[in-house]
Amino acid sequence: MGTTACVGLIFCDIDGFKAVNDDHGHAVGDEVLIEVGRRMESVLRDGDTPARLGGDELIAIAIRDSVAEVEAAMGALVAAVDVPMVTTTGTVAVTMSAGCAVARRGARADELLRRADQNMYDRKRSRRDRR
């Protein structure tokens, strides 16, 4: 029996992370990264995989039944991070930009990552243009 599951890659960028490091120090930046990771895990399903690429870039692999469900998982990640965080120096607010791509038959991991990254930047640009 075949499957119709979608392998979604969600590419995330923590907006305002550099300012946290600059204004509060790298120890507080580490606290923010840990909290973002906790929040990601709280909205992802068992079997999904969150990971940090480096700096303020994160990904999540989410297996869902449809593209719409992958997009809903992406929205849940963004909403989870868009709540101020309590750190040792006080409350810190960051936001998350995200984009996703769903694997097509024969997809390569690097191509999926590139498409999700591009989708994230397109969404970020669109949001800036509306301001």
Side-chain angles (χ1 to χ4, degrees):
M1 177 189 298
T3 180
T4 58
C6 295
V7 176
L9 188 143
I10 303 167
F11 191 100
C12 306
D13 184 74
I14 304 171
D15 303 317
F17 184 67
K18 182 180 181 321
V20 169
N21 279 333
D22 291 348
D23 296 344
H24 302 281
H26 290 275
V28 173
D30 290 347
E31 290 178 52
V32 169
L33 287 173
I34 291 167
E35 182 60 21
V36 167
R38 284 186 187 130
R39 291 179 184 193
M40 288 178 72
E41 287 181 336
S42 77
V43 299
L44 292 171
R45 295 180 184 170
D46 288 341
D48 290 346
T49 305
R52 181 177 179 207
L53 292 178
D56 61 357
E57 295 179 337
L58 309 151
I59 61 166
I61 305 296
I63 310 299
R64 298 294 185 273
D65 290 330
S66 67
V67 173
E69 287 185 21
V70 172
E71 290 173 342
M74 178 180 67
L77 288 171
V78 169
V81 173
D82 196 19
V83 176
M85 302 172 190
V86 177
T87 70
T88 55
T89 63
T91 303
V92 172
V94 294
T95 58
M96 180 181 279
S97 294
C100 64
V102 174
R104 299 180 188 118
R105 175 174 240 147
R108 293 174 37 107
D110 60 338
E111 175 62 18
L112 191 61
L113 183 63
R114 186 198 63 73
R115 287 193 296 121
D117 182 34
Q118 184 61 53
N119 182 259
M120 186 271 302
Y121 279 107
D122 290 347
R123 289 171 182 267
K124 188 181 275 198
R125 189 176 313 112
S126 175
R127 195 173 61 230
R128 273 194 309 251
D129 291 348
R130 281 186 286 217
R131 292 182 191 164

